[in-house]
Amino acid sequence: MDSETPLPALDWPVFEPGWVWLCGAGPGDPGLLTLHALNALRQADVVVYDALVDQAILDWAPGAEHLYAGKRGGKPSALQRDISLRLVELARAGKRVLRLKGGDPFVFGRGGEEGQTLVQHGVPIRIVPGISAGIGGLAYAGIPVTHRDVNQSVTFVTGHDQSGEAPSSLDWAAISRGSQVIVIYMGIKHIARIAGALLDAGRPAGEPVAVVTEATTPGQKVLETTLGGLEADLAASGLEPPAIICVGRSVLMRQVLDWQAMATGAPARDLDPLKRGRPAESA
Ligand code: SAH
């Protein structure tokens, strides 16, 4: 899309100088950006972006200054506090500041902290949600995050806490009992401990698991395995972060909903992977 292509008719919000808009950029595929985020890119003076934000998205703000605030190529990440205060400074300098974060800014994205700091400093904000990797990334792999025959709830967890350790505050036994489907962000590093905790809590070793890396990008890869096989299969696969890990029988639906494979001509692997029987044909 040309950066001049007009947006569809709507009373689009005007980006006022001195404001910070905290926007989600979606999981990767630029087409998953919201129109509000695109409207923001068209008006911003500065775009402060994280790792995992696609270059094509930044190209939609050709007139803006682009400031990188994430972790990439082994460079140490900017301190969260420094990022928040930088946003305050830019806003106070009268810029229209677009803070662009991967996925949704309020899902394991520290958007709440940044927003809080801005408000504490008297900077006006607007929040633009985005498609989170734990929902949209799984959809690109053909995995419905809820499916009536499988789950009435889903739990999103992070695989590491602020210290970088496996989160000790999580009650894995309660999560195992309470949620048929568990979606894990940032889970690769501590996968052995997480899989072990779920098995200890009574989840079956044969339970389906999918690991989706670089979801929604041209580099997307999907590993299908089981809880018991997860650690070894993941190591053998060589897959690397960023990854979304989905534990639960909804992973089986990929056998009929892997739309990307089907788009290349592959047939569905199983038309009824949950074996609930297909609706009887009407007479
Ligand atoms: N706010 C983001 C999550 C940020 S935490 C969101 O809502 O999606 C960063 C983690 O998100 C990564 O470690 C990974 O677990 C997940 N993630 C983000 N983008 C991803 C992608 N394209 N593919 C797989 N996982 C992704």
Side-chain angles (χ1 to χ4, degrees), residues 202-259:
R203 299 291 282 232
E207 181 160 14
V209 175
V211 180
V212 187
T213 64
E214 292 184 64
T216 81
T217 76
Q220 173 176 307
K221 294 197 181 68
V222 184
L223 169 70
E224 289 175 46
T225 177
T226 57
L227 202 48
L230 177 55
E231 187 188 354
D233 288 350
L234 187 58
S237 73
L239 289 183
E240 293 193 348
I244 282 292
I245 302 170
C246 181
V247 178
R249 287 176 65 246
S250 49
V251 165
L252 297 177
M253 287 302 288
R254 175 169 154 79
Q255 295 174 16
V256 64
L257 296 178
D258 183 0
W259 56 275

Side-chain angles (χ1 to χ4, degrees), residues 27 52 102-104 107-109 132-134 185-186 212-215 242-244:
L52 306 180
D104 183 283
V107 178
F108 303 127
S132 191
Y185 290 70
M186 298 172 272
V212 187
T213 64
E214 292 184 64
I244 282 292

